[in-house]
Amino acid sequence: GAVVSQHPSWVICKSGTSVKIECRSLDFQATTMFWYRQFPKQSLMLMATSNEGSKATYEQGVEKDKFLINHASLTLSTLTVTSAHPEDSSFYICSAPGTSGDQPNTGELFFGEGSRLTVL
Amino acid sequence: DAKTTQPNSMESNEEEPVHLPCNHSTISGTDYIHWYRQLPSQGPEYVIHGLTSNVNNRMASLAIAEDRKSSTLILHRATLRDAAVYYCILRGGTNAGKSTFGDGTTLTVKP
């Protein structure tokens, strides 16, 4: 099946610095990717929808200037956490809809392995 | 977003069938029912999805109620590796493919 890869798997940074997380679709093209964050013992919370060649659409309550999303190509979306603070420590996950068979809005979602961010 | 509700937790014995329920009473006609599972510190993994008819694949079966307001994921013979959080979500064309994840069901498999 299709593969989505995230990098880095984990990252530790100092408060006030920025961190970039990459999400790649390895064997298919993804015009749309979704970014989530997940706190311990909680469910996934959708942060934003990344759209290739256009601006990302953010969910209510998610600061677009804090969480910068760039979808520069059909296989890469990046999430940059700017001026990170300890409360931004979380598990960040991306997903992309598959392109074979089903329509992209209704078919299988392929998830990355997740990136654990710890802000000191 | 159409929402789903699932029991917080369920237990099963190894090699026995498991039936994981999901309610989605506000499902729209174009929403597909999806199931994913997540192991600790990993991204979710696709299990199965369907629209109206029951579906089978190598991992599981999906039974969809006739009115589509509920569904059941069936693991035919649970193994220890099936212990995970199982999420039932809806994906449809009316919301640009976005999905809301509920709290999911934590499945514990006892040897």
Side-chain angles (χ1 to χ4, degrees), chain B residues 96-110:
Chain B
K98 297 191 300 183
S99 299
T100 299
F101 278 75
D103 293 333
T105 296
T106 300
L107 174 65
T108 302
V109 180
K110 296 182 289 184

Side-chain angles (χ1 to χ4, degrees), chain A residues 48-114:
Chain A
T49 302
S50 172
N51 304 298
E52 189 270 335
S54 64
K55 291 182 180 179
T57 53
Y58 291 79
E59 295 302 300
Q60 191 172 10
V62 178
E63 301 174 57
K64 62 180 180 180
D65 295 329
K66 170 79 172 173
F67 299 99
L68 299 180
I69 290 173
N70 183 278
H71 197 143
S73 77
L74 288 170
T75 58
L76 174 65
S77 174
T78 59
L79 168 68
T80 301
V81 183
T82 62
S83 186
H85 291 284
E87 56 266 30
D88 299 322
S89 299
S90 189
F91 193 51
Y92 292 87
I93 307 169
C94 68
S95 74
T99 55
S100 63
D102 297 312
Q103 296 296 315
N105 285 344
T106 59
E108 178 179 349
L109 284 172
F110 298 97
F111 286 83
E113 313 95 319

Side-chain angles (χ1 to χ4, degrees), chain A residues 20-21 27 31-32 37-38 45-46 72 76 91-92 96 100-101:
Chain A
K20 180 185 287 187
I21 300 170
D27 50 359
T31 55
T32 299
R37 64 189 299 181
Q38 184 177 35
M45 185 195 82
L46 180 65
L76 174 65
F91 193 51
Y92 292 87
S100 63

